[in-house]
Amino acid sequence: MNIDRKIKTIKARQILDCKARPMLEVDVFTEGGYMGRGSAPTGTSVGMYESYIIRDGVPGEYGGMGVHKAARIVEEEIAPKLAGMDVCDQKAIDETMLALDGTPNKSKLGGNSIYSVSIACLRAAAAANHMPVYRYLAGEPIKSIPLPTFNVVNGGRYRHLTQAFNEFIIAPYLAETVEEAVLIAVSVYQRLESVITRYLKGESPTLGGSYGWAAPSDDPAEGYAKAHEVLKLIREAVDECGYSDKVAYCLDCASSEMYDKETGTYELRGKRVKADDIIEEVRKLSEEFNLIFVEDILDENDWDGFAKAHKILKRTNIIGDDFIVTNVERLKKAYESNSIDGFILKPNQVGTITEALCTHKFAVDHGMLSIPSGRSGGTVGDIVADLSIGLSSKISKNGAPKSGERLDKINSLLRASSENPGCGICSFDGIIRF
């Protein structure tokens, strides 16, 4: 082993994510002076099967969300075990941490502790090989850039209304370059503000929790918003910008957020409905709007419902996020039951880069989509952009073109395009169902 690649020290600290919530950050240093940094963002829609996040629980400090305890675990328990290991041996590093933890959900050391170290080691390894992280992951020259998609309208629960579906996404899938895709997204996102203002008869829209525009209600007195109306407004903005022939749409229903286990029903337009009603709602939407994918259409435990939705919805791809949580065993089960067409790749859900890459490989080997995505509580420097490029993903989820940490991911795609002349957006042969 090259002595310069030996892990020398590991430091951890508490920082803040884009929502000013505490987040763990880890630095890994090698004997040769190479350094990698990793952090553990969290989401708004969090699957019940995600790796466990260790927090301090001190009420007077960030509402108990501090991560000083996790930082101590990194420095006092994980660092001594990894000292002297080859930073380029990612599998051995991750397996060492998993053995040290020894729990099914990483509750001893914390998924945030293990994940941050795992990502920091990956970045230190790339630095030791004098490569960008995406190039180190790819192992070969980059041939294409994933299609960036943009969450331009945020649903969920608001003070004055509820929109049952969580994300309304535009996908400039017929853009010829990443530069054009970004131009389309920014133009549509900015035009959407005036479209919604006109719809609300002069009232400006507010920002949602993920920095897209908050879903406007078609009838504020009733306190709900129709997904159909939201998609119509987005399409109106697309048309006004002159991009009707280049843009399709995607939905993240995040239906676990609207599910009631006791009654087995979902909230939709102010009523409690069954899974069949959600499927029918999405079927109608897919007939009118070109949807590339629909994410988490039902609750994360509704295996039969996902299989039924996959059978019925022929004009779109069914994707699992909370349903899969980047776990290869759940993805295998979904594949065997013919429940989905792919999954959302969020490595912090499962806890190590090795486990995330294993899930990604299973998807690719079985003709399924693997779609890297950031979390709503992200930060500048998220590993997701490198993953989407280095793994030759077809699609990446990049959020609204608004806040710094989301623009950072978009800029990473633009840099990679510039650094690899001739790279266009990947081919969508075999993916489009409409």
Side-chain angles (χ1 to χ4, degrees):
M1 176 177 61
N2 185 333
I3 192 171
D4 285 349
R5 302 191 326 206
K6 282 188 175 182
I7 295 175
K8 181 179 180 181
T9 56
I10 300 179
K11 299 294 183 182
R13 66 188 64 85
Q14 175 175 290
I15 62 170
L16 299 179
D17 70 12
C18 68
K19 296 178 180 290
R21 301 178 302 190
M23 176 173 67
L24 183 66
E25 181 178 77
V26 171
D27 293 340
V28 169
F29 300 88
T30 72
E31 294 285 355
Y34 301 109
M35 190 270 275
R37 175 170 289 164
S39 58
T42 54
T44 298
S45 171
V46 178
M48 65 184 296
Y49 299 105
E50 292 193 27
S51 58
Y52 183 78
I53 303 300
I54 285 184
R55 296 194 182 273
D56 298 340
V58 179
E61 296 180 9
Y62 297 102
M65 297 185 72
V67 292
H68 293 297
K69 186 186 298 184
R72 288 195 297 273
I73 287 172
V74 169
E75 295 189 349
E76 297 172 8
E77 299 185 46
I78 295 177
K81 291 292 184 181
L82 300 188
M85 294 186 70
D86 184 346
V87 77
C88 295
D89 195 345
Q90 187 77 44
K91 184 177 181 182
I93 289 168
D94 290 344
E95 288 179 348
T96 297
M97 290 191 287
L98 293 177
L100 183 63
D101 178 86
T103 67
N105 65 344
K106 302 173 178 64
S107 59
K108 179 183 176 183
L109 301 179
N112 48 342
S113 306
I114 294 171
Y115 173 75
S116 298
V117 174
S118 182
I119 295 303
C121 287
L122 172 66
R123 285 192 164 132
N129 283 274
H130 309 287
M131 294 180 183
V133 177
Y134 72 79
R135 179 69 175 79
Y136 178 72
L137 282 166
E140 60 184 11
I142 302 299
K143 298 182 177 65
S144 64
I145 303 293
L147 170 71
T149 62
F150 307 87
N151 174 17
V152 294
V153 172
N154 304 160
R157 301 185 189 279
Y158 293 90
R159 178 183 56 80
H160 60 296
L161 66 87
T162 295
Q163 164 47 246
F165 297 159
N166 193 45
E167 296 180 3
F168 295 81
I169 299 164
I170 59 170
Y173 76 114
L174 290 181
E176 296 182 5
T177 64
V178 174
E179 289 80 2
E180 185 184 13
V182 172
L183 172 62
I184 290 171
V186 172
S187 301
V188 171
Y189 177 76
Q190 293 176 349
R191 178 60 64 93
L192 190 54
E193 180 178 15
S194 62
V195 170
I196 295 175
T197 299
R198 186 167 64 234
Y199 178 78
L200 294 176
K201 297 178 173 55
E203 180 181 345
S204 297
T206 58
L207 279 179
S210 294
Y211 305 104
W213 301 113
S217 174
D218 50 290
D219 187 350
E222 295 187 17
Y224 60 80
K226 293 179 181 176
H228 180 268
E229 291 299 314
V230 174
L231 284 168
K232 276 179 61 179
L233 291 173
I234 298 173
R235 185 168 62 187
E236 191 174 328
V238 169
D239 292 345
E240 289 184 10
C241 290
Y243 295 127
S244 305
D245 59 341
K246 290 181 178 286
V247 173
Y249 308 91
C250 314
L251 283 177
D252 175 9
C253 300
S255 286
S256 293
E257 300 296 311
M258 299 291 164
Y259 182 69
D260 178 64
K261 185 178 180 180
E262 294 299 318
T263 61
T265 61
Y266 300 83
E267 183 174 352
L268 181 67
R269 298 200 301 274
K271 300 177 182 178
R272 304 305 306 183
V273 303
K274 294 291 189 179
D276 286 351
D277 299 302
I278 299 292
I279 295 171
E280 177 62 13
E281 179 87 356
V282 173
R283 188 196 66 78
K284 291 177 180 177
L285 293 174
S286 70
E287 291 296 326
E288 182 171 349
F289 302 93
N290 290 334
L291 300 177
I292 294 181
F293 68 79
V294 176
E295 179 183 334
D296 277 356
I297 184 171
L298 297 170
D299 179 66
E300 59 201 330
N301 291 306
D302 193 353
W303 291 90
D304 292 340
F306 265 90
K308 186 173 186 178
H310 191 235
K311 184 177 180 179
I312 291 173
L313 300 173
K314 299 298 186 183
R315 293 191 79 248
T316 189
N317 290 280
I318 303 300
I319 301 296
D321 179 12
D322 294 344
F323 184 53
I324 302 299
V325 291
T326 314
N327 182 296
V328 70
E329 296 304 322
R330 291 183 68 85
L331 185 62
K332 286 178 180 177
K333 181 178 177 180
Y335 174 76
E336 290 165 359
S337 60
N338 196 24
S339 298
I340 57 175
D341 300 293
F343 81 108
I344 302 297
L345 176 62
K346 294 176 178 175
N348 75 303
Q349 288 179 324
V350 67
T352 67
I353 191 65
T354 299
E355 292 167 290
L357 294 181
C358 178
T359 310
H360 167 81
K361 184 177 186 303
F362 181 89
V364 172
D365 289 348
H366 292 82
M368 305 170 81
L369 288 168
S370 173
I371 304 175
S373 171
R375 307 303 298 263
S376 65
T379 186
V380 170
D382 196 321
I383 197 69
V384 166
D386 287 303
L387 284 173
S388 66
I389 302 164
L391 299 180
S392 299
S393 300
K394 299 288 188 181
I395 304 170
S396 67
K397 289 184 68 180
N398 295 86
K402 178 67 176 179
S403 58
E405 73 289 339
R406 286 157 173 80
L407 293 172
D408 179 61
K409 296 180 185 66
I410 295 168
N411 288 338
S412 294
L413 298 181
L414 293 171
R415 290 189 196 100
S417 177
S418 174
E419 292 165 357
N420 298 272
C423 275
I425 288 178
C426 68
S427 168
F428 273 72
D429 292 344
I431 295 176
I432 301 301
R433 302 283 175 86
F434 46 80

